[in-house]
Amino acid sequence: MTPHKITVASTAAIATLFLSACGSSDPFEDASTAPSTPAEANTVIIGTANFPESEIIGQIWAEALRQEGFDVKVASGIGSREVYLSALEEGSVTLIPEYSGNLAQFFGDLPAGADEQTVKDTLTSVLPPSLSTGEFSPAESKDAYRVTRQIAEEFGLATIADLDKLEHITIAAPPEFAERPAGPQGLTATYGIDAAKITVVPISDGGGPLTVQTLVQGAANTANIFTTSPALLSDGSEADLVTLSDPENLIPPQNVVPVLKAGSLPRGALETINKVGAKLTTDSLVHMNLRNVGPERTEPTQIAKEWVHNNT
């Protein structure tokens, strides 16, 4: 297929829709946007990445901690992993929602086909001494390769390996995905796909409506969209997409996990967060994400208050 261009008007409209849901202007802000002052003693400062799910989880933790009498602030939309982990290590935030497999791969090498225990063991060995983690939640949000149903049926695509049936593979994804282990290098190393036929179409909306529209309009033939992200178009309707299976486990387990500045939390705070995490499920993330970016357009703070009220 020959991709066709997205009009400037449609791109702007879609970007506006997504950014209003996120509540920030740029998913990949530079380090200057991170909090610049050290965390206050006895105050929990929760940082979040610049996509809705991270904000929702951060607000859930904040609400649960406040109910237990802790002083909490939320630094929202700090940016990409490189930016918010720097903020965490330098102490301007004390806590960040993270995803286990991606965190392990950021700091070290994760064996191919890693299971949850392997991810835990790897994190223990590669995490800097200045950082520590809480308990893994059963809730999981994984990178995934999605294609339109039309492309899946036309080329017989069911697994990630089947992408090799395409003459060219154009992936709508965040810019840094080009260097991520689950990105082009993983397609080549794990599935033997020729690197020369793979191109990343950089889109900075974390798999949101602009990414979905790029895929549906044909400017890309696959997209990196999280398993918990609703695939919504600019009008709020859901796109008809197929998630390709991953038989070789290119994409490792991605349990939600709190990562924190070691020794920075007040006594009892991590226990509260771990209890909340134990009740969080993948299905609840899907539901809350849809409430936020779908037609309901509920703010993360309200979603968090309702979830905590119903689950604690």
Side-chain angles (χ1 to χ4, degrees):
M1 293 183 61
T2 301
H4 53 269
K5 296 180 181 179
I6 303 175
T7 66
V8 173
S10 64
T11 297
I14 298 160
T16 299
L17 169 69
F18 181 80
L19 293 173
S20 64
C22 287
S24 185
S25 61
D26 185 357
F28 302 99
E29 298 163 321
D30 62 28
S32 66
T33 65
S36 58
T37 57
E40 299 173 22
N42 300 319
T43 298
V44 180
I45 302 181
I46 301 173
T48 71
N50 203 359
F51 58 91
E53 183 173 285
S54 182
E55 177 73 10
I56 290 169
I57 296 169
Q59 294 292 349
I60 286 173
W61 291 353
E63 182 67 17
L65 287 169
R66 290 187 184 112
Q67 288 195 3
E68 294 296 321
F70 293 98
D71 183 20
V72 186
K73 298 179 181 178
V74 179
S76 299
I78 294 174
S80 65
R81 180 167 287 108
E82 291 80 357
V83 178
Y84 64 68
L85 287 178
S86 293
L88 189 64
E89 290 199 79
E90 60 116 33
S92 55
V93 297
T94 51
L95 182 69
I96 292 276
E98 255 292 6
Y99 300 92
S100 58
N102 283 343
L103 184 62
Q105 287 180 322
F106 183 84
F107 286 112
D109 295 325
L110 192 61
D115 59 13
E116 185 175 323
Q117 187 58 52
T118 302
V119 172
K120 287 182 178 179
D121 293 342
T122 301
L123 263 180
T124 299
S125 65
V126 303
L127 203 65
S130 59
L131 303 180
S132 61
T133 65
E135 296 175 5
F136 283 23
S137 169
E140 188 176 21
S141 180
K142 300 179 70 170
D143 289 276
Y145 284 88
R146 299 198 202 185
V147 297
T148 63
R149 189 167 302 279
Q150 177 185 350
I151 290 290
E153 293 177 352
E154 181 179 351
F155 293 94
L157 308 184
T159 73
I160 293 176
D162 291 334
L163 287 172
D164 203 23
K165 297 176 181 179
L166 301 175
E167 183 177 358
H168 299 287
I169 302 168
T170 51
I171 310 166
E176 68 270 19
F177 188 74
E179 305 301 326
R180 295 285 194 245
Q185 61 182 287
L187 293 181
T188 300
T190 302
Y191 286 104
I193 298 174
D194 183 1
K197 65 190 291 184
I198 306 171
T199 303
V200 171
V201 179
I203 302 175
S204 298
D205 78 339
L210 184 54
T211 297
V212 175
Q213 194 76 7
T214 300
L215 180 62
V216 169
Q217 290 189 343
N221 53 26
T222 185
N224 170 231
I225 301 172
F226 291 122
T227 53
T228 57
S229 295
L232 302 180
L233 298 168
S234 58
D235 62 0
S237 63
E238 189 164 1
D240 188 13
L241 305 184
V242 173
T243 299
L244 301 179
S245 66
D246 182 18
E248 300 298 327
N249 294 322
L250 165 64
I251 301 165
Q254 300 290 358
N255 301 84
V256 174
V257 60
V259 58
L260 55 137
K261 181 76 171 176
S264 64
L265 289 181
R267 185 183 301 273
L270 186 57
E271 180 181 357
T272 296
I273 292 165
N274 286 335
K275 286 180 180 178
V276 167
K279 295 181 179 181
L280 196 63
T281 66
T282 301
D283 285 345
S284 66
L285 289 181
V286 173
H287 175 69
M288 289 187 287
N289 285 335
L290 182 58
R291 289 190 64 193
N292 176 239
V293 302
E296 189 177 325
R297 303 301 294 278
T298 306
E299 290 295 323
T301 50
Q302 182 61 34
I303 293 171
K305 286 180 181 179
E306 292 176 12
W307 189 93
V308 171
H309 175 76
N310 293 329
N311 290 277
T312 60

